[in-house]
């Protein structure tokens, strides 16, 4: 009995030894594993822990300014206080809501622009984040199994009761938080998004700047907005830029994104702002952020210094532009007031003034009568095409001379021509025997008719009235080719995003239509095309490209100082009229006669010796009651001085009801007077 007890006691240490041995083995394996981790793989694991990501963010800079020819600022940048948000990578909606709640204690978002922009979706997202569990419980587990994460989230928002999203139930403070979060939600990671940049008070700016440490991603900085010292003058042609809300145009996203733009960048969306976007945009400041895998920013540095956009210097003199606007508006108003019923369809008047040798646009004015008010409508110089009437007869005479169907000094007897059973076609009266010069001076339609008939293969003179005329339809293209050399019926090439080429009527086998074309009663042209046409005649047959840009300048060292010249816009000759110079001389003489003893004799006795050509085209338009009213387009083109042209012009008053008030003559005379008066005044100041 005693031996058995002693034997059992002797077995206990052995079991303990086995237990210790097992524990020893386990610790040995653990130590070996730790050794593998720390010694063999330790460096790799440490590199993974320390691994960071570098991202580069591009910060927008102010756009370049725009100046007139005398270096007066036309488009400026107005500085604004701005509150921006730059989220770190991986920032969640809950994080943005926390920032919004804190930021709402420092800034006000109670303007209609912000509060009216709050949508039902914005409110739903706010309610969801206030109590996520409660919102998600409205969707059953069975429903959730069948849904993707995005569909589940969408259904959760839809299940929020209608009464809970009634905007009237929310306090002003809550609505401001929602409005702020809406702006924060637009931000892309590491890319600044404007939260508020309108009406930011100095107090708001200071409070935000003081509490930046409590507002992750928020910054108090300065922004800019376009400012127009000359208000609406020339603004239609200057164009506009998008807001940050609009960002880059969706239809051109690929184009802009490949050129370093962000989606919320403001870009030129029309006019010169759009055409010269590449120069005006500037060079963005590039900041390189170093972040951990979790998205926490641990370092940042500027790798490319930002530089505001280059400045544009235009060819337009804003003082002269204002004067031309004033003249055109006053003449439009006078024509309507003196003949209110007859001119009830007269709604606009247009003028273009340019240097015929260089193509520099000196002024471009459109004035419109809209809803009882007169307003600037300078886009109509490029967009609105009208029948030009007899102003194109210079091109018709040159087409006749160059094609050989007439010779210099050749006479035709001006009396109506009747082709077959068609209505007779004639001038405003029978002018008797006229040659090319007299035809321009007196504005003979019949002379132009004979040119058209001869170009079509009908060489009988005088034409036997009542007879059928021979006609080769290839004359259409031949005549149009001559006109296009002057810029009529083709783009002028002006530095602008869009310009109309006018209406091009159908060619046909009717000689009557070509006769109409020859006197400006078929195809329509813009005032810019007409200005280029008369400039080509003034410039001895050289057609130059019209342009608004004079030069591009680097940003100045100060806000008041222009920088160095980056690029100068040189004169570009688009084509030279291939014909004997004596032919162009003949038309120049004819235009000079028009301005002295012809149909534009109001320009006679001017010291600056103008040359010109008048035009009256039959047109029609519906009045306010929908009734068709037969009207006239009154136009005038010209240049001065006759012997050494430095200014050319085209003016037109479409759809007038009477020619008793000579609106086109008054506009042209006053514009030329203003140009040379200003020129003389500037020369006196220089001396």
């Amino acid at each position: 009995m005693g031996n058995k007890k002693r034997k059992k006691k002797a077995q206990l240490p052995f079991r303990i030894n086995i237990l210790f041995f097992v524990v020893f083995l386990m610790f040995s394996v653990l130590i070996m594993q730790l050794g593998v981790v720390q010694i063999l793989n330790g460096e790799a694991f440490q590199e993974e822990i320390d691994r960071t990501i570098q991202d580069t963010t591009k910060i927008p800079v102010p756009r370049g300014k725009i100046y007139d020819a005398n270096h007066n600022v036309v488009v400026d940048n107005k500085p604004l206080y701005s509150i921006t948000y730059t989220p770190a990578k991986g920032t969640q909606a809950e994080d943005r809501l926390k920032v919004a709640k804190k930021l709402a204690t420092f800034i006000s978002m109670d303007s209609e622009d912000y509060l009216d922009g709050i949508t039902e979706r914005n409110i739903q997202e706010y309610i969801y984040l206030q109590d996520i569990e409660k919102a998600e419980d409205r969707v059953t587990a069975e429903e959730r199994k069948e849904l993707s994460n995005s569909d589940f989230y969408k259904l959760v928002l839809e299940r929020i009761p209608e009464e809970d999203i009634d905007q009237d139930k929310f306090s002003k403070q809550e609505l401001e938080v929602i409005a702020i979060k809406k702006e924060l939600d637009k931000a892309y990671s590491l890319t600044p998004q404007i939260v508020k940049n309108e009406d930011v008070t100095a107090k708001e700016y200071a409070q935000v700047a003081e509490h930046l440490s409590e507002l992750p991603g928020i910054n108090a900085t300065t922004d800019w907005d376009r400012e127009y010292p000359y208000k609406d003058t020339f603004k239609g042609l200057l164009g506009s830029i998008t807001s940050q809300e609009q960002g880059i145009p969706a239809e051109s996203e690929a184009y802009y994104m490949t050129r370093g733009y962000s989606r919320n960048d403001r870009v030129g969306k029309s006019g010169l702002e759009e055409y010269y976007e590449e120069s005006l945009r500037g060079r963005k400041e590039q900041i390189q952020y170093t972040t951990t895998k979790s998205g926490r920013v641990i370092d940042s540095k500027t790798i490319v210094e930002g530089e505001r956009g280059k400045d544009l210097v235009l060819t337009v003199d804003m003082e002269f532009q204002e004067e031309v606007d004033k003249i055109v508006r006053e003449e439009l108003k006078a024509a309507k007031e003196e003949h209110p019923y007859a001119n009830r369809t007269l709604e606009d008047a247009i003028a273009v003034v340019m240097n015929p040798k260089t193509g520099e646009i000196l002024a471009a004015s459109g004035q419109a009568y809209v809803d009882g008010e007169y307003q600037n409508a300078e886009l109509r110089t490029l967009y609105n095409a009208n029948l030009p009437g007899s102003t194109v007869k210079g091109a018709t005479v040159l087409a006749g001379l160059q094609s050989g169907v007439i010779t210099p000094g050749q006479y035709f007897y001006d009396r109506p021509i009747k082709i077959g059973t068609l209505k007779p076609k004639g001038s405003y009266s029978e002018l008797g025997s006229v040659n090319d010069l007299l035809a321009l001076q007196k504005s003979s339609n019949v002379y132009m008719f004979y040119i058209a008939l001869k170009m079509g293969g009908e060489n009988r003179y005088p034409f036997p009235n009542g007879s059928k005329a021979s006609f080769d339809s290839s004359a259409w293209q031949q005549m149009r080719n001559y006109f296009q050399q002057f810029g009529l019926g083709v783009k002028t090439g002006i530095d602008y995003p869009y310009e109309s080429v006018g209406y091009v009527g159908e060619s046909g086998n009717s000689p009557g239509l070509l006769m109409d074309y020859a006197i400006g009663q078929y195809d329509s042209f813009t005032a810019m095309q007409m200005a280029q046409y008369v400039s080509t005649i003034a410039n001895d047959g050289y057609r130059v490209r019209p342009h608004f840009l004079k030069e591009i300048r680097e940003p100045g060292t100060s806000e008041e100082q222009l920088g160095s010249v980056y690029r100068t816009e040189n004169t570009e000759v688009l084509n030279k009229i291939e014909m004997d110079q004596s032919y162009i001389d003949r038309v120049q003489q004819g235009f000079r006669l028009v301005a002295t003893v012809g149909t534009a004799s109001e320009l006679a006795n001017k010291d600056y010796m103008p040359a010109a050509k008048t035009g009256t085209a039959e047109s029609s338009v519906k009045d306010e009651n929908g009734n068709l009213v037969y009207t006239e387009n009154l136009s005038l083109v010209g240049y001065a001085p006759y012997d050494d042209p430095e200014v050319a012009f085209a003016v037109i008053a479409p759809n007038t009801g009477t020619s008793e008030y000579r609106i086109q003559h008054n506009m042209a005379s006053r514009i030329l007077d203003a140009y040379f008066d200003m020129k003389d005044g500037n020369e006196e100041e220089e001396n």
Side-chain angles (χ1 to χ4, degrees):
M1 188 80 176
N3 290 337
K4 286 181 181 179
K5 289 180 179 179
R6 282 195 296 273
K7 190 174 182 180
K8 287 180 180 178
K9 288 180 181 178
Q11 290 175 349
L12 290 175
F14 177 74
R15 291 176 179 177
I16 292 172
N17 286 336
I18 292 174
L19 180 62
F20 282 155
F21 181 70
V22 172
V23 172
F24 170 75
L25 288 177
M26 292 175 67
F27 271 102
S28 296
V29 171
L30 181 61
I31 291 170
M32 289 178 63
Q33 185 63 32
L34 288 172
V36 170
V37 171
Q38 292 185 0
I39 298 172
L40 296 181
N41 298 328
E43 185 175 348
F45 284 132
Q46 187 62 46
E47 287 178 357
E48 181 64 21
I49 293 171
D50 294 339
R51 187 165 67 88
T52 58
I53 301 170
Q54 290 185 329
D55 290 289
T56 300
T57 293
K58 297 178 179 180
I59 311 298
V61 294
R63 288 174 76 79
K65 300 180 181 183
I66 301 179
Y67 295 82
D68 80 343
N70 296 320
H71 298 169
N72 298 307
V73 178
V74 179
V75 183
D76 205 348
N77 294 317
K78 178 174 65 175
L80 302 170
Y81 283 136
S82 181
I83 309 301
T84 64
Y85 176 59
T86 308
K89 297 182 72 173
T91 300
Q92 301 300 312
E94 297 94 320
D95 303 321
R96 292 193 291 273
L97 180 59
K98 290 178 183 178
V99 173
K101 287 182 176 180
K102 186 68 175 177
L103 186 57
T105 63
F106 303 125
I107 67 173
S108 172
M109 300 284 279
D110 60 356
S111 72
E112 291 182 1
D113 290 341
Y114 295 116
L115 298 186
D116 288 351
I118 294 175
T119 65
E120 183 178 287
R121 176 68 176 241
N122 300 143
I123 297 176
Q124 288 173 330
E125 290 175 343
Y126 175 74
I127 293 173
Y128 169 77
L129 292 173
Q130 292 293 89
D131 193 337
I132 296 176
E133 184 176 347
K134 179 180 178 181
E136 292 184 348
D137 283 345
R138 295 190 179 97
V139 178
T140 66
E142 290 75 17
E143 289 175 317
R144 185 166 187 173
K145 289 178 184 178
E146 305 296 325
L147 299 172
S148 65
N149 288 337
S150 61
D151 288 338
F152 169 69
Y153 179 65
K154 181 180 179 181
L155 184 58
V156 168
L157 296 185
E158 290 175 353
R159 291 283 172 86
I160 296 173
E162 284 289 332
E163 60 269 19
D164 289 355
I165 60 176
D166 183 359
Q167 189 165 328
D168 293 336
K169 295 179 64 175
F170 293 87
S171 67
K172 174 189 169 187
Q173 185 72 10
E174 286 179 308
L175 290 175
E176 290 192 58
V177 170
I178 295 172
I180 292 174
K181 182 180 176 297
K182 177 185 177 182
E183 299 302 318
L184 302 186
D185 287 341
K186 297 175 184 176
Y188 298 94
S189 61
L190 302 179
T191 302
Q193 166 71 31
I194 294 174
V195 180
K196 182 179 180 182
N197 69 346
E198 293 182 7
D199 302 321
V200 177
T201 66
K203 181 180 179 181
E204 288 177 327
Y205 183 86
Q207 286 182 322
V208 172
E210 186 179 347
H211 295 86
L212 291 179
S213 60
E214 307 166 32
L215 299 163
I218 295 296
N219 192 18
T221 182
T222 55
D223 191 28
W224 52 270
D225 196 9
R226 283 312 220 187
E227 187 174 46
Y228 303 90
Y230 289 89
K231 299 181 180 178
D232 290 336
T233 301
F234 203 66
K235 192 175 179 181
L237 289 170
L238 292 171
S240 59
I241 61 174
T242 61
S243 64
Q244 190 181 59
E245 179 88 14
Q246 296 167 327
I248 59 177
E251 64 274 13
S252 306
E253 182 175 313
Y255 171 86
Y256 284 106
M257 295 298 285
T258 57
R259 286 161 175 76
Y261 286 81
S262 300
R263 287 182 175 83
N264 57 1
D265 280 348
R266 286 174 287 177
V267 299
K269 66 177 180 180
S270 64
L272 296 174
E273 292 271 20
E274 177 186 352
Y275 193 88
Y276 287 107
E277 168 66 25
E278 280 299 310
S279 297
L280 290 166
R281 65 176 290 201
R283 184 181 67 217
K284 289 184 175 182
E285 179 178 339
Q286 296 186 33
I287 299 178
Q288 188 178 77
Y289 289 96
T290 303
T291 62
T292 63
K293 287 180 65 180
S294 64
R296 184 172 61 89
V297 177
I298 59 175
D299 187 33
S300 66
K301 62 179 178 180
T302 300
I303 57 176
V304 176
E305 292 289 341
E307 182 179 79
R308 77 168 177 84
K310 294 180 176 61
D311 298 327
L312 305 184
V313 178
L314 304 182
T315 58
V316 174
D317 177 343
M318 290 301 285
E319 183 183 357
F320 181 55
Q321 175 70 40
E322 287 182 318
E323 186 62 24
V324 172
D325 283 344
K326 177 173 175 285
I327 291 168
V328 175
R329 181 173 297 194
E330 287 178 351
E331 291 301 326
L332 174 61
K333 186 177 181 181
K336 290 187 70 65
E337 289 181 350
E338 289 196 20
H339 303 278
Y341 182 76
N343 281 334
R344 65 191 184 283
T345 55
L346 173 61
E347 295 182 348
D348 59 343
I350 304 166
V352 172
V353 189
M354 64 184 285
N355 184 320
K357 295 180 180 178
T358 66
E360 294 182 343
I361 300 298
L362 307 178
S365 176
Q367 297 297 313
Y369 183 72
V370 181
D371 297 329
E373 295 184 353
Y374 294 92
Q375 56 188 238
N376 289 333
E378 54 268 32
L379 280 172
R380 300 189 185 196
T381 60
L382 291 165
Y383 287 19
N384 284 27
N386 298 283
L387 292 173
S390 299
T391 53
V392 301
K393 287 178 179 176
T396 304
V397 169
L398 287 171
L401 290 169
Q402 181 61 16
S403 64
V405 300
I406 63 170
T407 57
Q410 182 174 352
Y411 280 84
F412 294 116
Y413 194 87
D414 185 302
R415 64 179 177 83
I417 296 175
K418 187 177 188 313
I419 299 176
T421 59
L422 297 178
K423 183 180 177 181
K425 291 177 175 289
S427 302
Y428 54 91
S429 65
E430 291 193 18
L431 302 177
S433 185
V434 293
N435 64 5
D436 49 346
L437 295 181
L438 289 171
L440 292 172
Q441 174 191 325
K442 297 182 177 183
S443 201
S444 167
N445 287 344
V446 174
Y447 200 92
M448 310 304 149
F449 293 158
Y450 274 115
I451 291 175
L453 288 170
K454 285 178 173 290
M455 289 182 70
E458 175 55 71
N459 290 305
R460 287 177 289 177
Y461 174 78
F463 181 79
N465 283 341
S467 301
K468 185 177 180 181
S470 301
F471 187 70
D472 182 349
S473 60
S474 65
W476 271 106
Q477 194 56 51
Q478 185 183 16
M479 180 80 85
R480 281 198 169 118
N481 286 343
Y482 284 118
F483 273 51
Q484 288 171 5
Q485 290 184 62
F486 294 94
L488 296 172
V490 293
K491 289 187 175 182
T492 65
I494 194 167
D495 50 344
Y496 209 74
Y498 171 81
E499 63 166 320
S500 171
V501 295
Y503 168 78
V504 178
E506 293 184 4
S507 303
N509 293 317
S510 168
L513 292 180
L514 188 62
M515 293 162 71
D516 291 340
Y517 181 87
I519 62 170
Q521 284 282 170
Y522 196 61
D523 285 4
S524 62
F525 310 119
T526 66
M528 190 63 68
Q529 288 175 309
M530 292 165 66
Q532 187 182 52
Y533 147 70
V534 76
S535 292
T536 305
I537 292 175
N539 200 29
D540 294 334
Y542 288 92
R543 182 169 77 103
V544 298
R545 182 177 68 87
H547 56 95
F548 291 111
L549 181 71
K550 186 173 186 178
E551 58 191 19
I552 299 175
R553 296 260 188 157
E554 296 284 2
T557 54
S558 68
E559 288 298 312
E560 294 76 27
Q561 184 178 9
L562 272 170
S564 58
V565 176
Y566 173 76
R567 176 169 75 84
T568 299
E569 191 77 351
N570 296 318
T571 300
E572 181 182 351
V573 177
L574 299 177
N575 61 270
K576 169 71 168 69
I577 306 298
E578 297 299 329
M579 63 177 61
D580 192 308
Q581 181 59 42
S582 64
Y583 295 163
I584 297 177
D585 292 343
R586 293 287 293 182
V587 172
Q588 291 174 345
Q589 292 174 41
F591 278 23
R592 177 60 179 153
L593 289 171
V594 171
T596 51
V597 293
T599 54
S601 57
E602 285 93 341
L603 296 173
N605 303 318
K606 299 285 188 179
D607 292 338
Y608 44 78
M609 297 183 298
K613 183 68 191 82
T614 56
T616 302
E618 295 177 357
S619 186
S620 63
V621 66
K622 289 185 178 180
D623 63 15
E624 58 184 9
N625 298 318
N627 299 317
L628 189 65
V629 179
Y630 292 98
T631 61
E632 294 178 332
N633 296 341
L634 303 179
S635 57
L636 183 61
V637 300
Y639 54 90
Y642 159 70
D643 55 349
D644 186 18
E646 61 182 76
V647 59
F649 67 88
V651 299
I652 184 166
N655 297 313
T656 60
T658 175
S659 58
E660 286 186 34
Y661 187 85
R662 294 166 71 81
I663 179 174
Q664 76 277 38
H665 295 271
N666 296 343
M667 285 194 292
S669 180
R670 292 180 63 189
I671 287 171
L672 288 177
D673 287 349
Y675 172 82
F676 285 102
D677 286 346
M678 287 186 180
K679 177 190 173 185
D680 293 342
N682 292 334
E683 289 177 351
E684 288 178 5
E685 288 181 8
E686 291 176 2
N687 295 332

